Amino acid sequence: MNFRNYFLLILLCLPCFMQAKNITISRLTCEMQEGLVVVEGAPRLGWVMESPENGTRQSAYEIDIREAFTGRQIWNSGKVYSSQSQLVSIEGADIRPDNPFNYSWRVRVWDETDAPSEWSREAQFRSASSRLSEGKWIGAITRQNAHLPEGRKFHGGELKKPEVKAAWEAVDTLAKKSICLRRTFQVGDTTEGNTNRQSSKKIVEATAYVCGLGFYEFSLNGKKVGNSEFAPLWSDYDKTVYYNTYDVTEQLRHGENAVGILLGNGFYNVQGGRYRKLQISFGPPTLLFELVINYEDGTSTTLRSDNDWKYDFSPVTFNCIYGGEDYDARREQKGWNQVGFDDSHWRPVVIQEAPKGILRPQMAPPVKIMERYDIQKVTKLNAEQVASASKSTKRTVDPSAFVLDMGQNLAGFPEITVRGKRGQKVTLLVAEALTDEGACNQRQTGRQHYYEYTLKGEGDETWHPRFSYYGFRYIQVEGAVLKGQKNPQKLPVLKNIQSCFVFNSAKKVSTFESSNRIFNAAHRLIEKAVRSNMQSVFTDCPHREKLGWLEQVHLNGPGLLYNYDLTAYAPQIMQNMADAQHTNGAMPTTAPEYVVFEGPGMDAFAESPEWGGSLVIFPFMYYETYGDDSLIKRYYPNMRRYVDYLKTRAEMGILSFGLGDWYDYGDFRAGFSRNTPVPLVATAHYYMTVMYLIKAAKMVGNDFDIHYYTSLAHEILAAFNKCFLNKETAQYGTGSQCSNALPLFLQMTQDSDEQGSYQPDAKLDEKVLMNLIKDVEAHGNRLTTGDVGNRYLIQTLARNGQHELIYKMFNHEEAPGYGFQLKFGATTLTEQWDPRQGSSWNHFMMGQIDEWFFNSLVGIRPSTTYQKFIIAPQPVGDLKYVKASYETLYGTIVVDWTSQNGTFTLNISVPVNTTAVVYLPGEKEPKEIQSGTYQLVCAK
């Protein structure tokens, strides 16, 4: 489009209440997190400012840190002349790892006129416990006595071997049972035998540190503490073990108290039963616990897990992360986690072997029940359908079966409220697809997975699984009837049933809406798929695998970072990757690496540069988003070891292993790359990781590595062009879209001069780009790329101004495209463009379009200076408007544009203490806008 600047309207904001020079501090963060943050060492602090005036900025700040209870000043920065308001170092502050008290801090700032704000409210952080490891790991049986097999090879055909079956069958059954643990303790200075006496000792702080493996539920005095599910977040327990921290000051009472812990298996102890993708055990369920209570008089009490605790079997009679869960409410022991319960029949705990991993505080947000869905449709299966479904699903379907359509595919579990007689059972089978008979179909997603609830017969009973989840839209109910239905067999009555959408509670930080129906719906499809797979790690699917396949982390990284607050989640992803790295530097395709893929045809799944490259690529995406280089510096040795490993696998600069452009598109069932040579894709990613490593070397100041890896990059570039470039046709590889998009994206379209040095070749670049465009057009404006190539295709076209072509590629209802999935009825992004061809209807690996929505249609892009943003919206096709917001560390950017009747109108809001460089459509010269709210208009 040809636009010219028409006029600039400034100041949409209305006059409002003025205080302290109109600048207020609205959000305090420690390590970019709100709330009580557990830190290791001196943390970095941050704050968000607001002002009704345009152009407000910070010129100085003062930070005050005190011991929360005593008020003792720990550190004061004095007035520091700086505009920095994020990742502010407090190095030098007396932050002690063994301090039992919280630290409180506040900040005030000075604006551009040197006028001070008021002091902010106070926020708190505390040092990670240095004594947690002094406690004992406790449970029902030791690993040694459980006879658990060692190793990470138990999957696929390996599980069918007689010797493997025999090894797992020899495991003591106690090793996989869910148990309850309890302990009573005194609070205050009550005298023995007088627990009702009011204590004179006031509790000022009480902090609990809990690590229950695989998963736990923590209660104090009969009430659950926190609202997390599947805690702690899973990891490679041989390398890292996460624990959770809780402020329980308000939950304690003077006198006697009771703590209760319910333990389940999780990924710590996958022994199978029903469906299982793999089997692995780091040990039987186990608990590490510490409760520190600080009193007003300066004394403290510590309760730890030790051999004074007792345990008994829980009502959870079966639990497996893959197979489902059973619960027998008849086995409930009322008051088991409260004071006054008679535990004389309970067993003394066993002191267990500690996991090998390093104890680390869980920084990433917990997984929670975030959404709930009600019944949309009910279908009763008739006798003929029941008989047929029993054959097609390979299980006996109960004649009482009916199927509920809950309207949304998701990751989670059902929750029921049921009334019936003691001993009656309700079975819940969940699935994302239906058989021809209309029954729940798990054939493609892992069967059998189900939940079974046995009633205690005491009025309304509400229950949901605690230690297992699945990907599903439909619920098949057996052994019950819905409230209001005929019930001649006197079956239990379901008074309520919901689908609980369970995902990581990392904050959603963006909104997106446009005038295009398909784009809006595609954004929702991607969001639901991402959330379904945003658990402890980014999984590939929430049913058959639940593994952290790594290519999604960087190939969808920008879209993920636009949409979610990953300030704490991403560092934990990096820790998992570092833990998964092999001693020779190799990176597996999954992290945590719960299974090592070995055997015929499995090598490509074990290692692939496009997957392992996340270790090197993702820290830079994090840095570009948040301005935080800590991940690059911390994991620089890991990055270098990985590149060095790739060098050992390369022959004359070419890598020839891996999955390549996995799931590329054509007139074939997707899977291994067929349009693009695997060595081309692998070598391009090899080059990419080396180029990122050179940037990292500059950031850590390693001159030797800069020169060494620069030389290596030149060798790879020369080998790549020699091997894959046809100079006569200006085609790379097979001339496929991925073949040409990758070298364009990575600026590998270079030619050698007389001295053999490679330099950018503008003519070659233009020819390759034209070949790429022609191929897209020759396929009817459709892509042929896959999981890997999609991002490079879309972003290469976008970076070269081909937004109209991208619009055509996705503004339709055919495959490949999001519109076809919508027409099919998908409610989450599916594994294949044609859902009928794929085995999963809940994958986000094809969700790379979200990056284009935000960096092109909305036009928000991070800058190399992190208090400056680029806003360059791209009106394309017949789009009439785009509305979006994006919450940065400094505040929320709002972009709202319309294109109607030959006029482009842009409304923007820029956070305090930042600036925006705005490019209007068709304008070559940008406008730099200070913080505030503005309207810019241009006409054709």
Side-chain angles (χ1 to χ4, degrees), residues 21 36 71 111 194 243 263 345 365 409 422 472 650 657 666 670 694 765 851 858-859 867 937:
K21 286 300 294 179
L36 177 62
D111 68 9
N194 187 12
Y243 65 87
L263 289 183
H345 64 287
N409 198 9
R422 183 178 179 85
F472 71 98
F657 71 95
I694 294 167
D765 195 83
E851 180 181 3
V858 179
Q867 287 170 254
V937 182

Side-chain angles (χ1 to χ4, degrees), residues 590-652:
T590 61
E593 190 184 23
Y594 292 132
V595 58
V596 177
F597 296 108
E598 295 177 335
M602 299 303 296
D603 288 347
F605 293 102
E607 291 181 48
S608 190
E610 308 81 12
W611 275 245
S614 283
L615 177 71
V616 181
I617 301 166
F618 189 59
F620 280 90
M621 292 179 170
Y622 184 84
Y623 170 61
E624 290 160 4
T625 302
Y626 302 120
D628 181 6
D629 62 4
S630 63
L631 297 184
I632 296 171
K633 292 179 176 178
R634 178 177 179 180
Y635 294 106
Y636 180 77
N638 301 80
M639 297 178 186
R640 182 172 56 189
R641 285 174 52 222
Y642 181 55
V643 168
D644 289 346
Y645 167 77
L646 292 180
K647 188 174 185 296
T648 69
R649 296 290 305 271
E651 295 184 12
M652 305 296 291

Side-chain angles (χ1 to χ4, degrees), residues 306-322:
D306 55 24
N307 53 14
D308 289 332
W309 290 58
K310 290 185 174 184
Y311 85 91
D312 203 355
F313 301 116
S314 87
V316 179
T317 56
F318 172 84
N319 73 104
C320 177
I321 191 72
Y322 285 113

Side-chain angles (χ1 to χ4, degrees), residues 25-134:
I25 298 170
S26 60
R27 182 173 181 254
L28 299 178
T29 60
C30 174
E31 288 299 320
M32 298 179 279
Q33 306 304 303
E34 291 186 273
L36 177 62
V37 181
V38 180
V39 300
E40 296 177 292
R44 298 165 299 175
L45 306 180
W47 51 91
V48 174
M49 294 165 284
E50 295 180 355
S51 172
E53 295 183 0
N54 283 17
T56 304
R57 64 183 185 275
Q58 172 188 300
S59 62
Y61 67 82
E62 180 183 4
I63 296 172
D64 182 65
I65 304 176
R66 297 176 182 271
E67 210 169 53
F69 168 61
T70 65
R72 179 174 68 91
Q73 189 177 68
I74 300 299
W75 187 72
N76 186 282
S77 67
K79 186 176 182 180
V80 178
Y81 287 93
S82 170
S83 64
Q84 185 179 6
S85 58
Q86 290 294 332
L87 301 170
V88 178
S89 173
I90 58 168
E91 203 68 45
D94 185 22
I95 308 299
R96 300 175 182 176
D98 57 347
N99 191 335
F101 294 106
N102 293 341
Y103 294 98
S104 66
W105 70 280
R106 59 180 184 163
V107 64
R108 62 174 173 169
V109 301
W110 285 259
D111 68 9
E112 70 279 2
T113 67
D114 201 35
S117 73
E118 295 183 349
W119 281 101
S120 70
R121 63 173 178 82
E122 289 188 342
Q124 293 191 342
F125 64 88
R126 72 178 292 117
S127 294
S129 173
S130 61
R131 299 190 178 98
L132 181 58
S133 59
E134 295 177 10

